[in-house]
């Protein structure tokens, strides 16, 4: 049995948080860079662009690995990589080319392994169930896992049992639709205006999409 933590020690505990700024602060708050986040959305919603924008931003704080299970190293991914100006991230980001869970775990067990791991997407990750998800987080408690998921057609919900499970567990939940990202974050401080704000991925595209939604 683990030792119980006193009320005083709970209140006195200190945590390392990322000093986000600008629209990232307004949307994410000041998060810990560990645990799990979840991003989901439909095809063509701006999900990949947003994810890569986030990778680039996070590379200012920690080393990032983007595990592209869906596209891998491809022309389409290269174009998206260029579109967000990923060259500015330098050596603080690496692409993992369709790396499955056993290989990924081996990589993360090494010294100086990436601090933030983006898995795109859970629908392409073989034999990934609740037990594997829990073990991955428990075995690497100081790392941040950002899981990307597809959207169930027509209702805005994550596709698949694992998508639903990770959404409920994640510290930050981000639904992407019409080039906007909608946030639910456990790091929100509404009094300071930190966390919870919508994030505009592409202004022109978002304006056109949501104007069309109003007209329907």
């Amino acid at each position: 049995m683990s030792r119980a933590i006193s009320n005083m020690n709970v209140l006195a505990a200190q945590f390392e948080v990322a000093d986000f700024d600008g629209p990232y602060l307004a949307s994410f708050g000041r998060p810990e860079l560990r645990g799990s986040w979840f991003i989901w959305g439909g095809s063509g919603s701006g999900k990949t662009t947003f994810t890569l924008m986030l990778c680039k931003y996070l590379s200012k704080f920690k080393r990032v690995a983007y595990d592209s299970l869906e596209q891998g190293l491809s022309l389409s991914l290269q174009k998206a990589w260029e579109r967000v100006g990923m060259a500015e991230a330098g050596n603080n980001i690496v692409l993992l080319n369709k790396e499955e869970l056993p290989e990924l775990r081996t990589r993360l067990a090494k010294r100086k392994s990436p601090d933030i791991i983006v898995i795109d997407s859970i629908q392409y990750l073989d034999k990934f169930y609740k037990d594997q998800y829990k073990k991955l987080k428990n075995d690497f408690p100081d790392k941040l896992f950002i899981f990307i998921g597809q959207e169930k057609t027509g209702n805005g919900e994550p596709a698949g049992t694992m998508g639903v499970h990770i959404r409920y567990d994640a510290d930050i939940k981000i639904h992407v639709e019409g080039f906007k990202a909608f946030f639910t974050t456990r790091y929100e401080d509404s009094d300071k205006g930190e966390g919870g704000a919508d994030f505009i991925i592409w202004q022109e595209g978002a304006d056109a999409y949501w104007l069309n939604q109003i007209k329907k």
Side-chain angles (χ1 to χ4, degrees):
M1 180 183 297
S2 60
R3 182 179 178 182
I5 303 170
S6 71
N7 180 38
M8 182 176 66
N9 286 341
V10 170
L11 294 172
Q14 299 291 315
F15 302 95
E16 181 182 354
V17 299
D19 192 18
F20 281 14
D21 57 10
Y24 291 90
L25 175 60
S27 295
F28 288 84
R30 299 182 190 274
E32 287 188 277
L33 297 184
R34 64 189 183 99
S36 70
W37 300 355
F38 185 53
I39 302 169
W40 81 99
S43 178
S45 63
K47 183 171 80 266
T48 297
T49 298
F50 172 73
T51 300
L52 292 179
M53 290 170 64
L54 177 59
C55 287
K56 179 184 174 184
Y57 187 74
L58 289 172
S59 72
K60 297 179 180 181
F61 302 91
K62 300 279 188 176
R63 292 165 298 168
V64 179
Y66 179 75
D67 190 0
S68 180
L69 292 157
E70 191 167 339
Q71 291 179 272
L73 179 58
S74 60
L75 180 59
S76 60
L77 181 62
Q78 183 187 63
K79 287 184 177 297
W81 206 263
E82 292 171 342
R83 189 162 57 244
V84 303
M86 195 68 83
E88 296 173 15
N91 293 328
N92 265 3
I93 187 165
V94 294
L95 173 68
L96 307 183
N97 189 24
K98 300 186 178 183
E99 194 160 286
E100 289 290 347
L101 193 57
E103 298 172 276
L104 180 61
R105 291 182 64 89
T106 298
R107 180 184 298 277
L108 297 181
K110 295 179 179 179
R111 290 181 64 249
K112 298 184 179 181
S113 61
D115 307 291
I116 300 170
I117 302 90
V118 179
I119 296 176
D120 188 6
S121 65
I122 57 172
Q123 280 77 23
Y124 284 77
L125 194 59
D126 288 342
K127 298 179 181 178
F128 189 57
Y129 308 110
K130 291 180 182 179
D131 288 349
Q132 286 82 4
Y133 169 75
K134 183 178 179 180
K135 184 170 174 54
L136 187 64
K137 288 180 60 184
N138 289 344
D139 287 349
F140 303 101
D142 294 325
K143 296 189 183 296
L144 171 62
F145 294 94
I146 302 176
F147 298 93
I148 315 302
Q150 297 172 0
E151 180 177 307
K152 189 184 295 184
T153 304
N155 66 359
E157 294 293 307
T161 301
M162 281 306 300
V164 173
H165 176 73
I166 295 172
R167 181 187 63 176
Y168 279 113
D169 183 71
D171 295 309
I172 299 180
K173 314 156 203 298
I174 307 164
H175 179 221
V176 179
E177 181 182 353
F179 305 103
K180 289 177 71 173
F182 301 90
F183 280 73
T184 302
T185 170
R186 292 173 181 164
Y187 304 104
E188 181 174 353
D189 188 333
S190 56
D191 292 338
K192 295 180 180 178
E194 298 177 359
D198 300 343
F199 187 102
I200 306 298
I201 301 165
W202 175 37
Q203 188 70 63
E204 183 180 348
D207 289 346
Y209 178 89
W210 291 103
L211 179 61
N212 187 56
Q213 295 299 107
I214 293 171
K215 290 178 178 178
K216 287 182 177 179

